[in-house]
Amino acid sequence: MSSPQQQKISAPKGTVDFFPAETWKWQAVERIARETARLYHFEEIRTPIFEHSELFHRGVGETTDIVHKETYTFDDRGGRSLTLRPEGTAGVVRAMIESGALNDQGAREKVYYIGPNFRYERPQKGRYTQHHQFGVEAFGVAEPEQDVECILLQLDFYRRCGLKDILLEVNSLGDRESKVKIAEYIRETLGPKRSSLSDESQRRLDQNPIRILDSKDPRDRELTSKLFTSAVPLSAKSDAYLQRVLTLLGTAKLEERGVKWHYSAKLVRGFDYYTETLWEVTTSGLGSQNAIGGGGRYDNLVEMLGGKPTPGVGFGSGLERLLIALEAQGIELPRDATPLVWLAHHGPAARDANLVLARELRDNGIAVDMDLAGRSIKAQFKLADRAAARACLVIGDAELAANNVVMKDLKSSEQTSVPRADVLPHLKQLLAS
Ligand code: HAM
């Protein structure tokens, strides 16, 4: 029997370890995310992965599922309540306010982030307790053009990754005035059917009726599916805003780039901070968790969190889901092509010579690896093969005596003997071929 100290420790439920066979794909999508953000002049922001719990309660919304049921909240040793971030927007807004970046007249900030988020959810394919998002937030412009810029950036990101079967759905819950109207409408329509709603939605009917729209309970779904059959009742201003967003999307000719899209009166998202436009993108190969990204406008959030009234809009895109979808669709990501050179040796004197050679090559920007455990030459060649090395340099007693190195091209299997002093130029030539 193993003692408690010897028992294996497993990863927390809902988390995933990514090994080198997969991390290169993460690097590829993160590189594409950064390149796409650059094309639209969004710059990187990095904020802490935990914040004062209050931020999410006020920002995301006390009655949302995300805050109500899914946060990882703990007291630190000083007795302060902290929460692991369940999403990126609230922290970015907090940082923007705290830095004063939004204080100037006409302030305009466009930022992006890539990082982990934490939600206590029942894990399943595409749903984890720790997931990663690429997200952007644009502050200072309350115009439909800014919403559409974010949507186009998001779609360009997917297209550059090679993703197919992309569907964009767009809706609007309008401004404050519209939201009051919608809440009243839901209360009036569902009030008489109160007892048919889930317990939670009965509570929401009093506290925050709009949240009933994203309930997954079949009893609620049955009733909410009949609420907005064609369009959401919006104020005239919000309706004009939405129409402009839809017109701009029309002129962007998304279909020509393989993206299907439509207005969807039934689309809701699980955050209280949204005003006006909201959108979600889905794709194939993911099963029920098929949303790879979503976003929306949040014109009251900066003010709600204590800043100067400043409009904002952005999206978050789940990277785990994107990678699953790419795999399911059979799409190959571009692989970092930096070639590797393997150094092999017969005996300790040759090993020492290779240690010197390794330093010289690395100083010249060439990636090198070699066996450090005294393996046989055959085992060393096997390692080179497994590492998919582009070339192998071999030194033995004969090479040491003649001051030579055997250079093997592992693609063509051609082998040449090169004077030690000429290894670098010969190797560079081979690697460039
Ligand atoms: P969200 O829709 O909650 O939005 O998350 C964005 C994306 O993150 C989802 O579409 C999904 O791909 C991924 N995601 C969310 N939860 C999980 C999970 N448990 N496991 C795996 N992937 C997940 C937001 O977070 C907003 N902050 C987006 C935003 C930014 N709106 C305005 N600005």
Side-chain angles (χ1 to χ4, degrees):
M1 274 253 319
S2 55
S3 70
Q5 281 89 346
Q6 289 168 327
Q7 270 168 16
K8 278 190 202 143
I9 299 171
S10 55
K13 215 170 150 203
T15 65
V16 183
D17 299 310
F18 295 102
F19 291 92
E22 277 191 278
T23 44
W24 71 267
K25 295 182 194 165
W26 280 84
Q27 289 164 11
V29 294
E30 287 170 10
R31 192 177 61 245
I32 296 169
R34 290 177 200 285
E35 284 166 5
T36 316
R38 174 70 197 149
L39 292 176
Y40 287 77
H41 189 218
F42 280 72
E43 291 173 300
E44 187 175 7
I45 184 165
R46 298 189 188 202
T47 64
I49 61 162
F50 59 87
E51 297 274 355
H52 290 296
S53 304
E54 169 76 6
L55 175 72
F56 301 111
H57 288 212
R58 261 208 277 163
V60 175
E62 201 91 56
T63 52
T64 59
D65 273 1
I66 290 177
V67 166
H68 192 55
K69 298 189 198 155
E70 296 170 4
T71 45
Y72 281 89
T73 295
F74 58 96
D75 284 347
D76 73 3
R77 290 172 197 277
R80 285 168 290 258
S81 178
L82 299 173
T83 294
L84 297 184
R85 67 177 181 211
E87 58 101 50
T89 312
V92 169
V93 171
R94 194 267 312 136
M96 283 289 163
I97 298 170
E98 201 169 345
S99 68
L102 305 175
N103 287 349
D104 293 345
Q105 194 67 27
R108 168 185 182 276
E109 295 286 336
K110 303 207 297 186
V111 293
Y112 79 87
Y113 47 87
I114 299 173
N117 301 285
F118 306 85
R119 297 184 189 179
Y120 190 81
E121 297 189 275
R122 199 170 43 79
Q124 64 181 87
K125 180 181 169 191
R127 192 162 75 183
Y128 311 99
T129 51
Q130 171 172 327
H131 74 277
H132 298 75
Q133 285 184 24
F134 161 49
V136 315
E137 313 294 347
F139 296 95
V141 182
E143 301 294 338
E145 286 75 4
Q146 187 64 75
D147 307 24
V148 173
E149 182 179 74
C150 291
I151 295 174
L152 295 182
L153 191 169
Q154 188 182 355
L155 295 173
D156 275 355
F157 167 55
Y158 299 143
R159 197 169 51 89
R160 285 171 165 263
C161 289
L163 193 73
K164 290 181 275 199
D165 294 335
I166 304 173
L167 172 67
L168 163 73
E169 291 178 276
V170 184
N171 192 14
S172 170
L173 293 185
D175 53 11
R176 267 198 190 118
E177 194 193 318
S178 312
K179 276 183 146 180
V180 172
K181 253 169 81 174
I182 297 166
E184 258 167 33
Y185 169 73
I186 297 174
R187 217 175 256 140
E188 273 167 22
T189 320
L190 299 185
K193 301 170 189 145
R194 193 183 184 95
S195 56
S196 309
L197 289 166
S198 66
D199 290 349
E200 186 150 359
S201 286
Q202 292 191 25
R203 225 179 0 260
R204 286 163 160 171
L205 198 59
D206 305 319
Q207 294 171 349
N208 191 351
I210 292 180
R211 284 272 67 84
I212 298 176
L213 299 177
D214 53 30
S215 165
K216 285 159 196 100
D217 191 299
R219 287 169 292 175
D220 303 333
R221 279 277 169 97
E222 167 76 21
L223 291 170
T224 53
S225 65
K226 294 176 192 135
L227 275 175
F228 307 116
T229 39
S230 56
V232 178
L234 297 178
S235 70
K237 189 165 149 261
S238 289
D239 190 49
Y241 193 99
L242 171 66
Q243 294 314 321
R244 174 74 180 148
V245 168
L246 299 177
T247 303
L248 287 168
L249 287 173
T251 45
K253 298 201 167 38
L254 300 178
E255 297 82 355
E256 286 177 15
R257 292 163 178 242
V259 176
K260 291 197 183 110
W261 74 279
H262 59 80
Y263 164 74
S264 167
K266 295 203 184 304
L267 176 71
V268 282
R269 304 212 352 102
F271 301 92
D272 277 353
Y273 52 58
Y274 288 129
T275 50
E276 309 292 359
T277 323
L278 31 114
W279 69 89
E280 202 145 84
V281 180
T282 52
T283 190
S284 60
L286 278 163
S288 63
Q289 303 299 313
N290 64 350
I292 45 168
R297 175 161 283 285
Y298 46 87
D299 287 345
N300 304 322
L301 184 59
V302 177
E303 197 181 356
M304 262 161 54
L305 293 175
K308 221 178 99 182
T310 309
V313 57
F315 70 80
S317 185
L319 298 183
E320 283 83 355
R321 290 188 192 175
L322 175 63
L323 287 166
I324 295 173
L326 288 170
E327 174 97 24
Q329 296 179 14
I331 290 149
E332 292 235 349
L333 284 159
R335 193 158 195 165
D336 177 5
T338 309
L340 178 73
V341 174
W342 200 274
L343 306 189
H345 54 269
H346 291 276
R351 179 204 55 208
D352 290 353
N354 270 350
L355 288 172
V356 175
L357 180 56
R359 254 185 100 63
E360 191 181 314
L361 296 179
R362 287 173 180 147
D363 279 348
N364 281 280
I366 296 173
V368 169
D369 201 2
M370 62 184 277
D371 167 55
L372 303 174
R375 284 183 172 82
S376 71
I377 191 79
K378 212 171 130 199
Q380 292 180 51
F381 287 145
K382 235 187 224 163
L383 285 178
D385 199 43
R386 209 184 302 154
R390 176 69 184 80
C392 187
L393 304 184
V394 192
I395 302 184
D397 289 341
E399 286 72 30
L400 281 178
N403 208 13
N404 275 345
V405 171
V406 172
M407 187 178 291
K408 197 167 173 190
D409 183 328
L410 294 179
K411 217 193 262 171
S412 66
S413 296
E414 245 171 65
Q415 193 167 303
T416 44
S417 189
V418 179
R420 172 66 178 81
D422 299 339
V423 167
L424 190 60
H426 277 86
L427 188 58
K428 279 190 171 162
Q429 206 176 6
L430 184 156
L431 296 180
S433 67

